[in-house]
Amino acid sequence: MERLHYQPIRQFRVKSGTCEVADAWSLSKVVASSPAIEVMTDLRRIPAATISDSVSLVEANHSMILRGVRMLFATDADRRVVGIITSNDLLGEKPTRVARERMSRHEELTVRDIMVATEELDAVTMSDVLRAEVGHIVATLKACGRQHALVVEDEGGAAPVIRGIFSASQIARQMGIPLQTAEVARTFAEIEAAIGS
C-alpha cells in the first residue's frame, strides 16, 4: 500500500570546513576473510566499460585512458560480450607477436585480434560468490592463473548475465598492497604475503 503523506526527514546545518566530498572511486579495505562481494565490480552498480571488437588497438587504448580503466569488455556487432581486453594486452608484447605471426602491421590489428575470448575466460556463479570470502577469490584466480574472473548470474530461463568481474589488481588495492607490476605470479605472491601476515 502506498503512503499518501510523508513527513520530512530531520535536517541540520553543516559546519563550514568539517565535511569532505565522498570519493566514488575509493575502495573499502578488505582482508582475506571479508565477503567476496566486497571486491567484485558489480555491473549493476557500475556501468560496464565496453568497446567494439572491431576497433583499432590505438582507439581501445585511448578509450581506456579516457575512462580511467585498465580493462574493457569487447562486444560484437550485436553488443554481445565476446571477450575482454586489458591494458597489458594492448601495451605488452602480444600485439607485436600477433602482427608478426599474421605478417601484418601493428596498426592493422583490432581488439578482436588480441582480446581474450570469453570461452578462454574463467567464470564463477553469483550464488557461489555470495557464499565466498576474498581468500576464496584469490585462490580461484591463482588456480586459473589469470588476473580476472567473470561473475555470471543465471536469471531463471533468460540468457545468463555477466553480473560482475574480479580483478587481482583491485583485490590487491583493497587489501592495501602496493602493486608495482602487472605480472600475475608476482601479484598473487604479494596478495598471499598480505593474507599470511
Side-chain angles (χ1 to χ4, degrees):
M1 182 164 82
E2 189 169 335
R3 284 184 188 228
L4 299 175
H5 184 69
Y6 289 92
Q7 294 295 319
I9 296 173
R10 182 183 66 85
Q11 301 169 53
F12 63 95
R13 300 289 168 117
V14 178
K15 288 184 183 177
S16 178
T18 61
C19 290
E20 295 178 6
V21 176
D23 181 2
W25 301 109
S26 69
L27 302 169
S28 61
K29 295 291 184 199
V30 297
V31 295
S33 60
S34 298
I37 196 81
E38 291 185 22
V39 294
M40 181 185 89
T41 300
D42 189 340
L43 299 178
R44 289 226 169 114
R45 295 176 180 216
I46 298 171
T50 64
I51 195 160
S52 168
D53 66 346
S54 63
V55 304
S56 72
L57 302 186
V58 170
E59 191 175 336
N61 188 46
H62 185 67
S63 180
M64 281 186 197
I65 292 168
L66 285 176
R67 295 174 179 187
V69 298
R70 297 179 50 82
M71 189 216 74
L72 298 168
F73 286 100
T75 58
D76 63 13
D78 296 324
R79 298 220 7 99
R80 296 263 184 197
V81 175
V82 292
I84 65 169
I85 186 163
T86 67
S87 58
N88 292 339
D89 295 329
L90 290 172
L91 305 174
E93 64 185 42
K94 191 173 184 179
T96 303
R97 182 177 41 82
V98 170
R100 190 176 14 219
E101 288 169 1
R102 295 184 180 179
M103 293 205 252
S104 63
R105 294 187 348 229
H106 185 277
E107 301 79 34
E108 296 170 348
L109 296 178
T110 64
V111 167
R112 184 182 316 110
D113 297 321
I114 68 161
M115 70 182 189
V116 178
T118 50
E119 51 270 4
E120 296 174 38
L121 290 169
D122 295 287
V124 295
T125 66
M126 185 65 181
S127 57
D128 285 341
V129 168
L130 293 172
R131 294 187 301 267
E133 296 176 351
V134 171
H136 295 116
I137 303 306
V138 172
T140 302
L141 291 171
K142 184 178 180 192
C144 64
R146 298 212 187 267
Q147 287 272 359
H148 299 93
L150 299 178
V151 179
V152 175
E153 186 171 44
D154 191 349
E155 299 197 327
V161 173
I162 297 175
R163 171 66 187 274
I165 189 160
F166 288 110
S167 162
S169 58
Q170 178 176 320
I171 293 170
R173 277 193 306 275
Q174 285 187 250
M175 293 185 82
I177 301 166
L179 290 182
Q180 318 259 318
T181 180
E183 296 173 23
V184 175
R186 185 161 169 200
T187 300
F188 289 122
E190 291 169 342
I191 294 172
E192 284 183 321
I195 288 174
S197 59

